[in-house]
Amino acid sequence: MVRNYILTALRNIRKHKFFAAINIIGLSLSMSVCLVIILLVSDHFQYDKFHPKRDRIFRITTFTNGFEGVFDEGYATSPLSFREQLTGQYAFIETATNLNHRLIGEIRSPHKILELNALFADENFFDVFGFELLEGTSASLKEPYHMVLSESLAKKLFPVESPVGQTVAFENHGDYKVAAVVKTPPGNSHMEFEALASFSTLPLLVEKGVFTDSYQKWENIWSNYNYLVLNDARSREEAERVINELGAANMDLDEDHPGYVFRLQGINEIVPGRSMSNEIKFALPWFVLAFFSLLGLIVIITATINYTNLSIAKSLSRTKEIGIRKVNGALRSQIALQFLVESVIISLISLVVAVIIYKGLVSAFNEIWIFSILNIHLEDTWRTYIYFFVFTLTLGLITGIGPSLFLSKIDTISSLKGSLSGIRRKKKTILSYLTGKRTLLGVQFTLSIIMLVTILVLRDQANFLVNANYGFEDDQVFFVEIQGHDPEIIKNEFSSIAGVNNVSFTSHHPAIGKSHGDYAQWKTDVEAITLYHFAIDENYVDVMNLELIAGNDLPNTSGNEKFILLNEQAVEVLGFESPNEAVGQFITMDSVRLSVSGILRDYHWDPLMKSIRPLGLRIKPEDYEHAYFQLSNIAAADYKEEFESKWNTFDPAREFRGGFLDEKLDEFYQFFYDMGKILAYVALLAVVITSLGFLGMVSFEIKTRVKEIGIRKVLGASFGNLTFTMSKSFFVMIIVTTVFAVPVSLLINGLWVNQMASHAPMGIVNAIPALIIIGSIGLGAIVSQVWISSRKNPSETLRAD
């Protein structure tokens, strides 16, 4: 029986090649997007699967009391002392481990010098997690100044000999002994590291003055990670209660501080999970995966509606086949099953085409800037193809159920006549234009309009952010990362390059969301504020073309830090009545008393999406990371090559890192362009599929009214009259859809646009191109089908049944 269904389905696909091709194209295009999204989502659900104790490993996370909503960012970090207070004191805890993320700097071997961003870990690390050692022992993190290297870092630092037993020098720390090498894990993990240094080294570094002991304080929720292994995962609630009691008893917070709440997060809940600050490795949070899944759902809905409409439109040519089957005793369920089998086969054929498209899409996704920055690389496995196959079978059944039920209920006599008149029709009203198939088509148009408007809004916002005036010079500034070198040496080496007018040094790039922040206070009776600050030198204001509105620039001083520049927002928040009043006053920051040298006009040192916050500029040479070179001629195409060539001569051991500042800022906003590209592709699919569905719907409607068209032609109706008569119900549907879709699309986009402090204006103008596209599709489909039908001779269309 099943074999007969399959053979019949294949014969019908060969017979109706054009109809099958349209459906296969529509389904394969939409399926290709869904396959990529399935791969992306399934990839994120495979994180941390290789840890043997994964069902019992929990991370202590921190939230500010009262801020635990879905979109409130908590901290992946928590106070260090939890491990000491919990281990051995409570029966429900098997073991625990601490991590600290302050291992940042240069690591040097006899062969290589590299930048390292790694972790301090204690001796329990390998008891908690399932990372395996390639060389060395699990007790390798017990002694101070011992280090474990990842397999990839070990090969870079020691390309020939075994690294175990060798020493590496770490910036400002001293020498570490390489005690072990960790195998590359068999799967993804939220914990990505290049090296682990023994936690017992930290107190010695405090004694040397490299660090302060603040990392040990209960109030420090930002520097350390706590992982617990429970004897039984069902003890989670009890453990969480104890942790909060310990936190409340030991944390010394101000009276007006809302306090902290500590939550246990299972290691299998981290990815995918909520967005958290201070993550060891960034992965896409659940709401981003949900967004991508929604895009896939949109295109697959449009494809499903399209298949339904086209199947029904084509049903006129298959009514006699249905009638003959019924005369021969076929049951309605058997006829319905036949159409379901056809739908599944078309879906399976579409899967083959979709996989070909999908391969190209995966490569394109992996090249997207945001994916490369986040180190997300999509690779399929045999398991993903099982997901694809199950998805395809499900899609085939869902797609075919509508047409199968519709076509199987045609009565025998009407079907033998080649007519659909056997299906009961209700009297037409205005509401009838908005029900059934037209409602489905309206959903397609609505989704297409929303997608098109969103693309236009994203494009406008991205262009606005990239071309906006930040309030500082960015296109005539070339930066070089100094990588620990003496600023004066960098200045002397690179100032000789032709076109360099001035040189400055800073700790941060502006407008990309990074800064330092500390409490600052003007008077003891005035509440302290959070003052964000950059380290700069005396040339920074000139190089960046910042505007002083009161006071003077920072003087060229040596010795201890004495002066600070404030922006207008800092003056206001600190409580000064005017910029002139602030000049010459003293503020206390980092236990240092600083004189306000001058006031700068507010500029966007933070990303444009954020409101301008209080900022101080300080001379702190020990914090310099970037050299800024003011250029007189940015048209010279070989600047980067000249700087890089100079660097390779100056320091061949370190990789050159530099470029134009405006390009660095453009990179930060590349996310908007990347999202625009993804949405553009999805919207293109949605529009193409909607167009095919609308064409099928119009074709179906006009084919059922060919006799009416013939009668109207005999009575003298013109092509224009026929077009108006045949299309008015469709235009009612398009108008109603537009009236609904435009405000909804603007409302949806307003939810995220209005969260930005600076953004391009958004309004009906963003929807006009979308309406022109949708209107053109509707008009083109209607006119073409009416023209085809009106060319037929009335004597043929009015012939008796």
Short mmCIF file of all heavy atoms in Angstrom, two decimals, residues 488-503 629 643 646:
data_model
loop_
_atom_site.label_atom_id
_atom_site.label_comp_id
_atom_site.label_asym_id
_atom_site.label_seq_id
_atom_site.Cartn_x
_atom_site.Cartn_y
_atom_site.Cartn_z
N GLU A 488 57.60 56.38 25.67
CA GLU A 488 58.57 57.30 25.08
C GLU A 488 59.33 56.64 23.94
O GLU A 488 59.63 57.27 22.93
CB GLU A 488 59.54 57.79 26.16
CG GLU A 488 58.97 58.85 27.07
CD GLU A 488 58.52 60.09 26.30
OE1 GLU A 488 59.27 60.55 25.40
OE2 GLU A 488 57.42 60.59 26.58
N ILE A 489 59.63 55.34 24.10
CA ILE A 489 60.33 54.63 23.03
C ILE A 489 59.43 54.50 21.81
O ILE A 489 59.87 54.69 20.67
CB ILE A 489 60.80 53.24 23.54
CG1 ILE A 489 61.82 53.41 24.66
CG2 ILE A 489 61.37 52.42 22.39
CD1 ILE A 489 62.27 52.09 25.28
N ILE A 490 58.15 54.16 22.05
CA ILE A 490 57.19 54.08 20.94
C ILE A 490 57.09 55.43 20.22
O ILE A 490 57.09 55.50 18.98
CB ILE A 490 55.80 53.67 21.47
CG1 ILE A 490 55.80 52.23 21.99
CG2 ILE A 490 54.72 53.84 20.40
CD1 ILE A 490 55.85 51.17 20.93
N LYS A 491 57.02 56.48 21.00
CA LYS A 491 56.90 57.83 20.42
C LYS A 491 58.12 58.15 19.56
O LYS A 491 57.98 58.65 18.43
CB LYS A 491 56.76 58.85 21.55
CG LYS A 491 56.55 60.27 21.08
CD LYS A 491 56.32 61.19 22.28
CE LYS A 491 56.07 62.62 21.83
NZ LYS A 491 55.80 63.52 23.00
N ASN A 492 59.31 57.86 20.05
CA ASN A 492 60.53 58.16 19.29
C ASN A 492 60.64 57.31 18.04
O ASN A 492 61.09 57.79 16.99
CB ASN A 492 61.76 57.94 20.18
CG ASN A 492 61.82 58.93 21.33
OD1 ASN A 492 61.29 60.05 21.24
ND2 ASN A 492 62.46 58.54 22.43
N GLU A 493 60.21 56.05 18.12
CA GLU A 493 60.34 55.15 16.98
C GLU A 493 59.40 55.50 15.85
O GLU A 493 59.77 55.45 14.67
CB GLU A 493 60.07 53.71 17.43
CG GLU A 493 61.18 53.07 18.22
CD GLU A 493 62.39 52.72 17.37
OE1 GLU A 493 62.22 52.55 16.15
OE2 GLU A 493 63.50 52.63 17.93
N PHE A 494 58.14 55.88 16.18
CA PHE A 494 57.10 56.01 15.15
C PHE A 494 56.84 57.46 14.73
O PHE A 494 56.16 57.69 13.74
CB PHE A 494 55.80 55.36 15.62
CG PHE A 494 55.86 53.86 15.70
CD1 PHE A 494 56.31 53.22 16.84
CD2 PHE A 494 55.49 53.08 14.62
CE1 PHE A 494 56.38 51.84 16.91
CE2 PHE A 494 55.56 51.71 14.67
CZ PHE A 494 56.00 51.08 15.82
N SER A 495 57.35 58.41 15.47
CA SER A 495 57.12 59.82 15.10
C SER A 495 57.85 60.19 13.82
O SER A 495 57.51 61.20 13.19
CB SER A 495 57.57 60.75 16.24
OG SER A 495 56.76 60.60 17.36
N SER A 496 58.83 59.38 13.43
CA SER A 496 59.59 59.68 12.22
C SER A 496 58.82 59.36 10.95
O SER A 496 59.24 59.74 9.85
CB SER A 496 60.90 58.88 12.24
OG SER A 496 60.64 57.49 12.28
N ILE A 497 57.68 58.66 11.06
CA ILE A 497 56.88 58.33 9.88
C ILE A 497 56.30 59.62 9.30
O ILE A 497 55.72 60.44 10.02
CB ILE A 497 55.75 57.35 10.23
CG1 ILE A 497 56.36 56.00 10.65
CG2 ILE A 497 54.80 57.16 9.06
CD1 ILE A 497 55.33 54.98 11.09
N ALA A 498 56.47 59.82 8.00
CA ALA A 498 56.00 61.03 7.35
C ALA A 498 54.49 61.18 7.51
O ALA A 498 53.74 60.23 7.31
CB ALA A 498 56.36 61.00 5.87
N GLY A 499 54.05 62.38 7.90
CA GLY A 499 52.63 62.66 8.05
C GLY A 499 52.15 62.60 9.48
O GLY A 499 51.02 62.96 9.76
N VAL A 500 53.01 62.14 10.41
CA VAL A 500 52.63 62.10 11.83
C VAL A 500 52.86 63.48 12.43
O VAL A 500 54.00 63.95 12.50
CB VAL A 500 53.43 61.03 12.60
CG1 VAL A 500 53.13 61.12 14.09
CG2 VAL A 500 53.08 59.65 12.08
N ASN A 501 51.78 64.14 12.87
CA ASN A 501 51.88 65.49 13.43
C ASN A 501 52.04 65.47 14.94
O ASN A 501 52.71 66.35 15.50
CB ASN A 501 50.62 66.30 13.09
CG ASN A 501 50.57 66.67 11.63
OD1 ASN A 501 51.58 66.61 10.92
ND2 ASN A 501 49.39 67.05 11.15
N ASN A 502 51.38 64.53 15.61
CA ASN A 502 51.37 64.53 17.07
C ASN A 502 51.13 63.11 17.55
O ASN A 502 50.59 62.27 16.82
CB ASN A 502 50.28 65.48 17.59
CG ASN A 502 50.55 65.94 19.01
OD1 ASN A 502 51.48 65.46 19.67
ND2 ASN A 502 49.77 66.90 19.48
N VAL A 503 51.52 62.84 18.79
CA VAL A 503 51.37 61.50 19.36
C VAL A 503 50.78 61.62 20.76
O VAL A 503 51.14 62.52 21.52
CB VAL A 503 52.72 60.75 19.45
CG1 VAL A 503 52.50 59.31 19.96
CG2 VAL A 503 53.43 60.74 18.12
N PHE A 629 48.31 58.34 16.84
CA PHE A 629 49.12 59.18 15.97
C PHE A 629 48.19 60.05 15.13
O PHE A 629 47.36 59.54 14.38
CB PHE A 629 50.00 58.32 15.06
CG PHE A 629 50.98 57.47 15.81
CD1 PHE A 629 50.64 56.18 16.21
CD2 PHE A 629 52.23 57.97 16.14
CE1 PHE A 629 51.54 55.40 16.91
CE2 PHE A 629 53.14 57.18 16.84
CZ PHE A 629 52.79 55.90 17.24
N PHE A 643 53.38 51.55 9.17
CA PHE A 643 53.40 51.33 10.61
C PHE A 643 53.76 49.88 10.93
O PHE A 643 54.54 49.61 11.85
CB PHE A 643 52.04 51.68 11.22
CG PHE A 643 51.90 53.13 11.60
CD1 PHE A 643 51.24 54.02 10.77
CD2 PHE A 643 52.41 53.61 12.79
CE1 PHE A 643 51.09 55.36 11.12
CE2 PHE A 643 52.28 54.94 13.15
CZ PHE A 643 51.62 55.82 12.31
N LYS A 646 57.42 49.20 10.29
CA LYS A 646 58.21 49.81 11.36
C LYS A 646 58.15 48.94 12.62
O LYS A 646 59.17 48.74 13.30
CB LYS A 646 57.66 51.21 11.65
CG LYS A 646 58.53 52.05 12.56
CD LYS A 646 59.67 52.68 11.78
CE LYS A 646 60.42 53.68 12.62
NZ LYS A 646 61.58 54.26 11.91
#
